[in-house]
Amino acid sequence: MSAAPAADVEVHLGDLGFGRGAHLLVQRALAGLPPGGRLAVSGRDPALPVHLPAWCRGRGHRVEWPALGDRSELVAVVVRGTADDDRWFGAERAGPALPSALSSRPPARWGLGARGALLEAGGPEARFDLDDRDLVWADVAPHLYAQAAARQWDPQTAVPWADPFALPADVEAAVVQVMTYLVENEQAALVVPARFVGRIHPHFREVVQLLAVQMADEARHMEVFSRRALLRGTELGTSSAGGRHSLFTLVAESDFALASFLLSVLGEGSFVDLLSFLHQNAPDPVTRRVCWLAMQDERRHVVFGMAHLEHQAQLDPLLRDRLRAAIHRRHDALVDTAGLNADVFDALVVLAAGGWHPDDVSAGFDRVQALQHAMDQGRQRRLVRLGFRPDEAAALSALHTRNFM
């Protein structure tokens, strides 16, 4: 019997053919050899003489067929080529994999490659204009994303839709009007991050993931608010032109930092106060629950907006000038509008009153006034955190849209 062929390593395929994964064993054995290294391959698959050379040609290896006489298994020698090494010549890592060591400005050639992956040279250059870490990043983003993913809730099971309750027609109408208003605001709150998520470089994937979950949050809010509005009827309330104009100024903002400021810091911050108010004054368990659930999500949105802008404010001394200008620009755009839909204001008073006695209505009115004051105080605190003087924070807060969002 002839001697086995000279080889550095052997791999035995048995009956396994290339159509069922034999290439994985050959590939694994070749990986440990330098170019020119010799791998003896033996196997009983009848198609091996065809499949092995074809596979090797596609990967730049050479096949030798020693004359070994009568053997129960076919034996070949694969001589490792340089194609695999040549393929990865010029490859680079797309930065460190962990978010603790992000690139300050990842190049376009990293594009859609996974952060930390070894990138083969020659791929397309995907352009993401939001590619500056200081413009999009916040160190809290990975934690907030993990928290957001863990706290997703199911609209079908998280809300007691079947709980029995009966409201007077005028109180139910007030709930429907407020829910209509909430749906409109949540629509805008979904569209704003949707405009930016595809512009952020995937290197900052935790921010992209967080905004994606934020959009899912808003989609759920739209669902539950719409569902509550239609729980006892078939029509929604009214929608004012001024309210829609206010929301449009959010959607039209093309600067990521300014949109985050107007939406999350000012708008959603005030929205949290509104949801807390509705939770306290809800006339039924369904309204109470949907407002509480949405409030938890909105608080997280505000936290990211603040963290992102606080990070940027530390690095960009001109940021506050841009934020100030954005408030004035939006105020000027809305100065001739009516502000908050009067039907919404009245509905809030009805819910806060809890009855139709003049004293009840007066108390309800006072509670809505207190809500507006709480919104103003909250905006001022957040503006001060971003570096504005208290007196200027008060003046800027007073310019915020009367539509709350």
Side-chain angles (χ1 to χ4, degrees):
M1 179 179 293
S2 302
D8 302 303
V9 181
E10 295 184 15
V11 61
H12 303 282
L13 303 180
D15 294 320
L16 184 65
F18 271 67
R20 296 182 59 80
H23 70 283
L24 295 174
L25 299 180
V26 177
Q27 187 171 274
R28 180 172 180 265
L30 286 171
L33 296 177
R38 298 170 66 82
L39 171 67
V41 179
S42 62
R44 294 185 295 271
D45 179 44
L48 188 61
V50 175
H51 291 168
L52 177 62
W55 183 87
C56 289
R57 280 196 303 273
R59 285 152 184 80
H61 308 305
R62 189 175 78 253
V63 180
E64 298 177 354
W65 298 96
L68 299 178
D70 185 21
R71 292 174 61 95
S72 60
E73 292 188 343
L74 182 69
V75 178
V77 173
V78 176
V79 182
R80 189 181 188 278
T82 63
D84 287 341
D85 296 327
D86 294 342
R87 176 188 175 190
W88 295 104
F89 179 79
E92 63 177 326
R93 289 281 172 189
L98 298 177
S100 57
L102 293 172
S103 171
S104 60
R105 195 150 201 166
R109 64 180 177 275
W110 290 3
L112 293 172
R115 188 176 68 214
L118 182 63
L119 303 182
E120 181 181 6
E125 293 199 355
R127 300 289 177 177
F128 296 92
D129 62 305
L130 294 175
D131 59 356
D132 187 332
R133 178 184 60 195
D134 295 336
L135 294 182
V136 301
W137 186 253
D139 289 337
V140 74
H143 170 73
L144 283 179
Y145 169 70
Q147 182 189 84
R151 296 185 180 179
Q152 296 295 288
W153 44 272
D154 182 351
Q156 180 60 33
T157 59
V159 180
W161 300 109
D163 277 13
F165 69 87
L167 300 179
D170 42 20
V171 176
E172 177 65 22
V175 172
V176 170
Q177 180 59 62
V178 171
M179 292 296 121
T180 303
Y181 167 81
L182 295 180
V183 170
E184 289 188 348
N185 282 265
E186 297 293 44
Q187 287 177 164
L190 187 154
V191 171
V192 171
R195 294 192 64 206
F196 294 102
V197 72
R199 294 171 52 192
I200 298 174
H201 198 296
H203 187 72
F204 310 113
R205 66 168 180 258
E206 289 82 1
V207 174
V208 175
Q209 291 168 324
L210 184 58
L211 292 180
V213 174
Q214 183 171 322
M215 292 159 58
D217 290 343
E218 308 298 8
R220 279 200 315 278
H221 301 171
M222 291 162 57
E223 176 184 346
V224 295
F225 292 150
S226 297
R227 188 167 174 179
R228 172 58 190 94
L230 299 173
L231 196 60
R232 295 290 187 267
T234 59
E235 293 183 345
L236 297 186
T238 64
S239 170
S240 69
R244 296 197 306 279
H245 193 173
S246 178
L247 296 176
F248 181 76
T249 59
L250 292 177
V251 174
E253 179 55 66
S254 60
D255 183 284
F256 181 62
L258 300 185
S260 180
F261 174 64
L262 295 174
L263 174 65
S264 298
V265 175
L266 298 181
E268 289 181 311
S270 297
F271 211 59
V272 168
D273 293 323
L274 174 60
L275 291 170
S276 177
F277 172 90
L278 292 171
H279 175 254
Q280 295 169 15
N281 294 282
D284 64 85
V286 173
T287 300
R288 185 176 305 111
R289 181 63 174 168
V290 297
C291 290
W292 186 87
L293 288 168
M295 180 173 60
Q296 310 311 307
D297 295 336
E298 298 292 348
R299 283 173 171 164
R300 187 171 56 250
H301 305 171
V302 176
V303 169
F304 173 68
M306 285 296 299
H308 158 231
L309 290 170
E310 285 177 310
H311 171 79
Q312 192 173 346
Q314 293 174 357
L315 303 170
D316 181 5
L318 299 179
L319 176 64
R320 278 181 288 277
D321 292 337
R322 295 172 55 218
L323 300 181
R324 182 186 302 109
I327 291 178
H328 282 282
R329 187 165 56 248
R330 190 180 188 208
H331 175 265
D332 291 344
L334 299 175
V335 68
D336 293 326
T337 64
L340 182 66
N341 184 352
D343 292 340
V344 175
F345 184 91
D346 291 347
L348 293 174
V349 172
V350 170
L351 296 181
W356 289 102
H357 190 278
D359 292 342
D360 295 331
V361 175
S362 177
F365 188 90
D366 288 342
R367 292 186 184 106
V368 175
Q369 293 285 308
L371 165 64
Q372 293 175 307
H373 178 71
M375 289 177 170
D376 176 55
Q377 293 298 302
R379 288 193 298 270
Q380 291 187 46
R381 287 192 298 271
R382 291 187 292 278
L383 288 167
V384 169
R385 280 181 55 188
L386 292 177
F388 291 97
R389 300 187 316 273
D391 59 333
E392 185 177 19
L396 291 174
S397 177
L399 297 177
H400 183 63
T401 173
R402 291 163 291 175
N403 192 53
F404 300 161
M405 181 75 91

